[in-house]
Amino acid sequence: MIDNEGFVVGCIWFIDEAPFHLSGVVNKPSWRFWSSEYPHLCEERLLHSPKVTAWVANKLALEDRPRIEWFMQDEARQHHTEKVFRFFDEYFGNRVIALDYPKFTGAGMDWPPYSPDLTPCEYFLWGALKDTVYGNHPSTLGEFESAICVACNSVSVETLKDMMSRFILRLRHLIFSNDENFENIVF
């Protein structure tokens, strides 16, 4: 699709959510450690630290492009309910990329297997936002929420365009690698 002249990745709604812990602990569920030996790694963290969970829908609106929009949902299982799929079908029809969506509707595209970090929110946006938010050292949940909103609103259009070009590069590497890992490539 990215090589199709009429398709622009700027018309994809990328969504994701991430917790921001007041303690400063950063959730790293997508981290992978590759080693020929057991790394003997142990990480301690608070069990129930106060946190704010932020949800983003990231779309680069381009003035010179038609408004044919796609919706790319993350792979989280809790988002795969009949009610959610009916909503997608009503608003996006066959322009949905989500795990099990084609099985439900017979249309759209299935989320690529084993690709938790395909969305730009995962591989770029959360890190950039957390750097900004934690750099301001908020001390209450209210300050935290405010800092998250300010950080989200400070992301420039140029940054979003660069993020989209890196998304295309990630897709091309995924295709070239035949769905194998390419964790040593920095985007």
Side-chain angles (χ1 to χ4, degrees), residues 20-174:
F20 286 72
H21 292 267
L22 194 56
S23 66
V25 169
V26 176
N27 186 15
K28 300 175 278 251
S30 300
W31 281 25
R32 305 289 187 267
F33 296 94
W34 302 92
S35 176
S36 59
E37 298 178 13
Y38 179 69
H40 302 286
L41 179 69
C42 179
E43 182 179 333
E44 293 184 28
R45 57 172 99 166
L46 297 172
L47 183 58
H48 298 290
S49 72
K51 66 182 175 191
V52 172
T53 298
W55 181 87
V56 296
N58 169 246
K59 177 187 171 285
L60 179 58
L62 299 173
E63 299 292 326
D64 59 340
R65 302 290 183 193
R67 288 185 46 90
I68 299 172
E69 298 173 339
W70 280 75
F71 187 87
M72 186 170 180
Q73 185 181 28
D74 67 1
E75 82 284 2
R77 280 272 174 209
Q78 63 270 29
H79 300 155
H80 301 250
T81 65
E82 183 176 338
K83 186 175 183 178
V84 171
F85 285 164
R86 288 196 192 289
F87 174 82
F88 290 165
D89 191 44
E90 181 180 341
Y91 287 95
F92 293 96
N94 66 347
R95 297 177 319 276
V96 175
I97 304 166
L99 186 64
D100 296 332
Y101 185 73
K103 291 177 191 171
F104 178 77
T105 64
M109 296 177 72
D110 216 353
W111 179 268
Y114 310 111
S115 57
D117 295 331
L118 192 56
T119 172
C121 300
E122 277 292 331
Y123 70 80
F124 168 75
L125 189 61
W126 290 128
L129 293 176
K130 287 183 178 188
D131 282 349
T132 301
V133 170
Y134 288 122
N136 292 328
H137 307 290
S139 59
T140 67
L141 289 178
E143 289 176 6
F144 222 32
E145 288 176 16
S146 179
I148 292 167
C149 290
V150 167
C152 286
N153 289 328
S154 69
V155 177
S156 70
V157 172
E158 291 76 29
T159 299
L160 292 175
K161 286 181 179 179
D162 184 50
M163 187 173 66
M164 290 303 187
S165 67
R166 292 173 189 267
F167 172 69
I168 294 170
L169 183 61
R170 288 179 72 84
L171 289 177
R172 292 192 191 287
H173 277 282
L174 181 66

